[in-house]
Amino acid sequence: MLSALSWRQLSLLVGLSILTSILLMADDVLFHLLGSAHYAVFEPVYALVIWLLSLSFWLCRQRWLVLLVLALFATMQVMQFANLAFTGEPLGVSDLQNALLNPEDVSQALKASWRPYIWLVVVVGLPYGALAFLHGVLSPRINTPYFGLAWLLILLIIAAKPIRASYRDLEDFLPGPTRSALHNSMNVFSFFAVKGLQEGASPHATSMHAMVPYTMTPQVASPSARHIWLVVADSLRPDRMSAYGAARNTTPHLQAWMGKLDGVPLQGIAAGVSTAVSLPALINVIREPGQEAWMRDKRHNLFRLANERGYETYWLSSQESKLLTYLGRPFIDHVVTKENRVLGFMQRRDALLADIIEKQMPTDKSFVVFNMRAVHFPYEENYQHDAAFAPPWSTTGQLDHETRMRNTYDNALLHWDGVMNRILQAFAKLEGEKYLIITADHGQLLGEGGRWGHNRLQPEVVEVPLMVFSADADKPHDLIQQSWISHYELGLWIAQRLGVQIDNPNADDTLHFNHGDQLLGDRFVLPIREWPDRIEYHAPVLLSTLRPRQTADR
């Protein structure tokens, strides 16, 4: 029994448990010293729990159990600190879901950017290596007391979070910037293990689900527009495009075409901060978050409307076919994805889409959607394959990480501009009233506040370019007169060109929504208020708490 311990044994046990506790919390300190964007503070209650867990490690004398728990912690911490180093924010449930749904993106990002973060090996490897040595090698030689129920305490501490996740909501498991990384990891992985893979994770119904259906009214028997091409380019930021005033000449061809065709650069608001969210909301013309039923039945799907109005429909994508899940595959005549042109995309990337449209030009009426990789991370992989392209901005030498990343982004942007030049050349050859619209699925963080990538409800990710080129047609005055155009409003405008008027009785013309980074289940969405001279970002709101007419003081 513990009461019969000698002072020597007790001192040894206390010393070892304190040492183990320090090592379990040392990764926070190491990350702060070697990295950045980590604001963990000491939490006495959490420290007490860690000490009890550490004490139980030494009392149970079950090395296999201790090493298994340590391996679990180390695995979680590798993912936690990798996400924290790259994005500047703690790992969230949505990050785990996105990683599971997009393993190739994660693999590419790791291959392209592991070198600047090699110090993470020290952050996780040093403390957990020491812990593994203590318990795997030294523990058999150290005379610590045995307490038979210590293993039960270990299991209770590990299981506490998953048990809580079974009856609590996501709000209670959100990562906190001031919490220990291990604390955040235990919260996030526990919720993900219990509910993260469930479609519709929130047990609460939301009033946003009960919206009044939109009405659709055919305007004319045959719409006047003969060709409507929509380009959705991944991760475009307008402030990096010279067409929007950027100092670097990153989009010279787009600027030239603005003079040749009736080109108009406008300010857009993305429907989501990930491709898997933004595309279904845009193509299905959905304003209000949480309308999964409308997304599934394709009631106002643009491909469906185009197909029913006699247009030849195309989906030309340099990305995965899974993005088509809610986009109306039965209504698309021609489909090209990464999977069915594997070798071509490996060799040509987005340029293959230009090759295809040049060889397979529509003749009568067409509705074409290009889903382009464009400037998706890793940025250099979007242009390195092209031997004829000479990147103007250096990516080698004594460059800091931030400069190199932005240079590779701008190089990729310039290369994409060259691909767009070919697509616009093909578009210009078409006869009749025609429109080509360029937007992005979402923007991209480029080091602001130490953050990178997307999947974040940040202005740099929400704000996207929206360019309209037209010929043999009136200028899009209904778009030009607006300060900001959401993807939903763009969908309404395209539907009008297709000859269908969509009316939404739920809409407030000054209130927009970014649907967040998850397609299904409870998640954070971002209400955005439009004013004549600006847009105002409200605080992100969980879908389950969002009212049908979310308003703010005006």
Side-chain angles (χ1 to χ4, degrees), residues 32-287:
H32 182 72
L33 292 174
L34 300 176
S36 60
H38 192 38
Y39 310 102
V41 297
F42 181 78
E43 294 180 88
V45 175
Y46 170 73
L48 177 61
V49 173
I50 291 297
W51 179 77
L52 288 173
L53 181 64
S54 300
L55 181 64
S56 301
F57 282 168
W58 291 104
L59 290 174
C60 73
R61 287 189 180 178
Q62 300 286 335
R63 280 192 298 165
W64 66 269
L65 176 61
V66 175
L67 292 174
L68 181 63
V69 172
L70 291 176
L72 175 65
F73 284 179
T75 301
M76 293 192 300
Q77 292 301 81
V78 167
M79 298 175 67
Q80 177 69 253
F81 283 118
N83 189 82
L84 191 59
F86 186 77
T87 70
E89 295 183 4
L91 187 73
V93 173
S94 61
D95 296 311
L96 292 175
Q97 290 176 323
N98 289 329
L100 184 67
L101 294 173
N102 302 284
E104 186 174 353
D105 284 354
V106 175
S107 175
Q108 288 180 342
L110 286 173
K111 290 178 182 177
S113 64
W114 63 270
R115 286 182 180 84
Y117 305 107
I118 191 66
W119 49 271
L120 290 175
V121 174
V122 176
V123 171
V124 179
L126 187 60
Y128 282 94
L131 285 165
F133 179 79
L134 281 175
H135 287 281
V137 178
L138 294 185
S139 62
R141 305 174 186 179
I142 300 175
N143 186 25
T144 56
Y146 171 71
F147 182 57
L149 295 180
W151 64 269
L152 181 60
L153 183 58
I154 294 173
L155 295 181
L156 287 175
I157 292 174
I158 300 301
K161 293 288 187 180
I163 292 172
R164 190 165 178 255
S166 67
Y167 61 88
R168 300 300 291 267
D169 295 332
L170 180 61
E171 282 183 296
D172 297 309
F173 291 84
L174 297 176
T178 62
R179 283 180 173 169
S180 165
L182 182 58
H183 191 172
N184 280 331
S185 293
M186 292 178 73
N187 270 332
V188 168
F189 280 88
S190 294
F191 189 90
F192 180 76
V194 176
K195 292 181 177 178
L197 294 177
Q198 298 178 12
E199 185 177 287
S202 174
H204 302 301
T206 167
S207 56
M208 285 296 287
H209 290 171
M211 305 303 295
V212 180
Y214 304 175
T215 59
M216 292 182 292
T217 307
Q219 296 174 299
V220 291
S222 179
S224 60
R226 290 190 56 188
H227 302 282
I228 303 170
W229 291 11
L230 172 63
V231 176
V232 183
D234 210 313
S235 306
L236 288 185
R237 273 183 61 155
D239 63 343
R240 306 299 295 191
M241 302 169 69
S242 52
Y244 281 81
R248 287 179 169 178
N249 193 22
T250 53
T251 52
H253 292 110
L254 289 183
Q255 290 166 258
W257 280 105
M258 287 174 64
K260 298 174 185 177
L261 297 171
D262 290 328
V264 182
L266 304 169
Q267 300 179 101
I269 299 172
V273 292
S274 72
T275 309
V277 174
S278 188
L279 280 174
L282 169 58
I283 298 299
N284 289 293
V285 196
I286 295 175
R287 171 182 179 267

Side-chain angles (χ1 to χ4, degrees), residues 14 37 56 95 110 131 157 272 291 309 332 335 346 363 409 418 435 474 484 496-497:
V14 171
S56 301
D95 296 311
L110 286 173
L131 285 165
I157 292 174
Q291 305 311 308
R309 306 293 280 179
I332 306 176
V335 172
M346 286 178 62
T363 54
Y409 181 93
Y435 303 90
D474 294 331
W484 292 83
Q496 286 181 326
R497 307 286 82 73

Side-chain angles (χ1 to χ4, degrees), residues 12-35:
L12 178 63
L13 182 62
V14 171
L16 287 171
S17 62
I18 291 175
L19 176 60
T20 303
S21 300
I22 292 172
L23 289 172
L24 282 172
M25 294 185 286
D27 48 12
D28 288 316
V29 178
L30 290 172
F31 186 91
H32 182 72
L33 292 174
L34 300 176

Side-chain angles (χ1 to χ4, degrees), residues 212-218 294 299-300 305 488 492 495 500-506:
V212 180
Y214 304 175
T215 59
M216 292 182 292
T217 307
W294 298 358
R299 60 184 67 183
H300 12 83
L305 297 181
Y488 160 75
L492 294 179
V500 178
Q501 176 72 37
I502 299 177
D503 294 304
N504 179 3
N506 314 286

